[in-house]
Amino acid sequence: MRNCGQFWVLTMAKLSRKLPLSFYRRPDVVQIAKELLGKKLVSFVDGQLTSGLIVETEAYAGSTDRASHGYGGRRTARNEMLYQAGGVAYVYLCYGIHHLFNVVTNEAGIPHAVLIRAIQPEEGIEYMLRRAGKQQLDYSLTAGPGALSRALGIHYRQHNGVKLTGNLIWIEDALSVPDTEVVATTRVGVAYAQEDAWLPYRFYLRDNPWVSKAKGL
DNA sequence: ATTGAGATTATT
DNA sequence: ATAATCTCAATC
């Protein structure tokens, strides 16, 4: 019985609707960001299965996007994973405190990524609350990129570069989201990107209360 | 070697 | 408004 949890997690992962590499390795990162809405982001960290539906994303279009860590082909120890072939995680530390989870897309050498900005909790809510040191479930648990990583136990040292086809962090097909439910707007916190700050690269589910309350720009 | 700003959040 | 505090690029 003691191994039951792990058995089921691994079994369900095998039988699940886990997204294939072909989903990630497409060239249109903006389209992928939109399509990730309604998908289920799952983590199996420290023996705890936690998940939520993706309700907010942002596309970062690599070398041509002033807001991207890969702008102009910039390549450093921190952003190295951006240059991997699509289907791995790019997790970096923001403001020295927050672990921001990105989905790397496109082929190797092209630093495209989608930042996951908010999820609606599904499984393992007790584990998420414990990780956040919270007693009560409220929107602050997973509405915001730093908050969701904390809830899912995602850490930049342990999870930067992990394969999204593996059994640590992955994304499953879940809801079918019609275009009429998707809002496109400007990205958050990218004023430094000048004209690229006005690109409509942020997507969220209309009227979903788990979308982050961050102000645009 | 030092400094300032950043894909943020909780608190004052 | 501000603190918390890691990484990177620019400047000294």
Side-chain angles (χ1 to χ4, degrees):
Chain A
M1 278 308 275
R2 196 171 315 129
N3 292 329
C4 249
Q6 172 131 351
F7 169 79
W8 277 111
V9 164
L10 296 177
T11 301
M12 294 307 288
K14 278 258 196 308
L15 300 176
S16 77
R17 292 149 46 96
K18 191 181 291 185
L19 299 182
L21 285 179
S22 57
F23 177 90
Y24 301 105
R25 295 192 177 171
R26 292 175 295 157
D28 190 345
V29 66
V30 177
Q31 177 65 23
I32 294 172
K34 190 192 299 186
E35 290 180 21
L36 280 169
L37 293 176
K39 303 270 187 289
K40 185 160 76 169
L41 175 60
V42 189
S43 74
F44 182 48
V45 172
D46 297 329
Q48 302 174 344
L49 184 88
T50 47
S51 72
L53 298 178
I54 296 171
V55 299
E56 179 180 355
T57 63
E58 283 176 357
Y60 285 86
S63 58
T64 61
D65 179 358
R66 293 182 121 86
S68 169
H69 288 173
Y71 176 63
R74 200 158 59 84
R75 197 160 182 161
T76 67
R78 178 179 70 162
N79 74 7
E80 183 60 28
M81 291 308 164
L82 273 181
Y83 290 85
Q84 297 290 107
V88 301
Y90 168 46
V91 185
Y92 74 95
L93 199 57
C94 187
Y95 297 107
I97 302 176
H98 305 290
H99 304 257
L100 269 56
F101 172 79
N102 294 253
V103 173
V104 174
T105 70
N106 214 320
E107 298 171 30
I110 301 176
H112 283 186
V114 176
L115 171 67
I116 307 301
R117 288 194 53 87
I119 63 174
Q120 171 177 318
E122 288 265 304
E123 297 150 288
I125 291 176
E126 292 180 24
Y127 297 134
M128 296 197 238
L129 287 170
R130 193 175 313 155
R131 286 173 178 146
K134 293 178 182 296
Q135 312 293 319
Q136 301 285 338
L137 178 60
D138 62 69
Y139 299 135
S140 70
L141 183 64
T142 58
L148 105 237
S149 290
R150 182 181 56 185
L152 295 180
I154 294 173
H155 189 285
Y156 80 111
R157 293 236 188 255
Q158 300 168 46
H159 301 125
N160 187 32
V162 304
K163 296 177 190 172
L164 301 179
T165 46
N167 288 325
L168 204 49
I169 303 171
W170 65 93
I171 300 175
E172 300 178 7
D173 205 4
L175 291 185
S176 173
V177 176
D179 271 2
T180 53
E181 295 308 306
V182 175
V183 178
T185 184
T186 54
R187 294 172 290 185
V188 174
V190 296
Y192 61 88
Q194 305 170 51
E195 66 266 27
D196 289 343
W198 279 272
L199 292 168
Y201 282 4
R202 178 184 177 213
F203 300 97
Y204 61 86
L205 290 184
R206 187 185 305 282
D207 298 328
N208 188 296
W210 293 93
V211 171
S212 76
K213 278 57 179 182
K215 306 160 184 76
L217 296 193

